[in-house]
Amino acid sequence: MVPASDDDGFTLVKAKIRRGRTGRVSSKQLSQSTDSEPQKVPEIGAVNDVVCLSKRKKNNRQQRLRQRTQPDDPDQIMKQQIEAIEAKKQTLRDSDYFSVLEKDIVGQIREFSPLEIVCYGVGSLALQVSQWQLALILLLNEHHLHVPGIMAYDPATTEADALTYERLGVSIIPVNEEGKRKALKRTLFYMPHCEVFLYENLLSANWAAECLLRIMIIGNSLQRYLDSNDADRFAQQSPHINRVLAHVVSTGFPSEKMLKLRQNPYAFTDTCLQRIKLSSSATIDLEAISKSNDPS
């Protein structure tokens, strides 16, 4: 410290604060230093600005890291997607969830004996939900159904997705059919989490008894769509679903909790197996539907 002189001839020497082995100054020592300047406490707003800036920098670093670790090569992305899908197939195969499906669902599908499988709306295979959904239909087909050809379409399909589908033996439907595929043979339509208009389009395209009997659907509960909407409005907007519901036999899928994962994938919520069964006396009046939609 620099000594300070007084008029009385004495020299005032300021006491030096001793530091411990750690180099830190104790609160007691600070209280004894009367001439030291008070510490400057930053304002709350300044602290928040520093914290937010730190978080932004951290998020930016993590984003740059993800961008560096995610390959741009479609072939490399395809390999990663296949690895992820195969892992999910193994998880499904070893789960109580799949055991219940084999008990409650597989027998009905095998009785229907589909000759082709059409997948709508699975989404981009970069998504975990889409990987779970594709893994399940592949697993069902490999172990129980043995349908030679699976077809799929989703507008979100990427170049890497197409390579993955090809490697897994799934054919891409070249055009957006909007669900309007006529069932010329017994067809299992795999449509988890699809919008209601796709189901309506599918039924509209097959609005004849011989076609409806060739359809089996794995997807959202058609009855649930009606229950969650105004009945009159639903009948106007989805007339084919509304009229066929009385002839739909539905079996719900088990709870995803049976997968025993740390977090449910939410890939099969509200999913069920649905088949249209018509008795010899059953009639579905297409003309009545046409009249109900006639704006005049």
Side-chain angles (χ1 to χ4, degrees), residues 80-93:
Q80 292 183 356
Q81 289 179 351
I82 290 178
E83 182 179 346
I85 292 167
E86 291 297 332
K88 289 174 174 60
K89 284 169 60 179
Q90 183 65 46
T91 300
L92 285 164
R93 183 164 50 244

Side-chain angles (χ1 to χ4, degrees), residues 111-117 183-188 213-216 275:
E111 179 185 356
F112 175 69
S113 186
L115 298 175
E116 65 180 12
I117 298 174
L184 302 177
K185 59 182 76 173
R186 293 188 304 277
T187 305
L188 174 62
L213 293 174
R214 299 188 197 118
I215 290 176
M216 177 173 273
R275 185 177 179 184

Side-chain angles (χ1 to χ4, degrees), residues 33-49:
S33 177
T34 56
D35 294 332
S36 61
E37 292 186 6
Q39 289 186 332
K40 202 171 191 181
V41 179
E43 297 180 359
I44 294 178
V47 173
N48 289 337
D49 290 342

Side-chain angles (χ1 to χ4, degrees), residues 255-270:
S255 169
E256 290 185 354
K257 293 180 180 179
M258 301 188 73
L259 290 170
K260 297 180 180 178
L261 301 173
R262 294 179 63 182
Q263 183 175 356
N264 292 338
Y266 301 105
F268 312 112
T269 51
D270 191 34

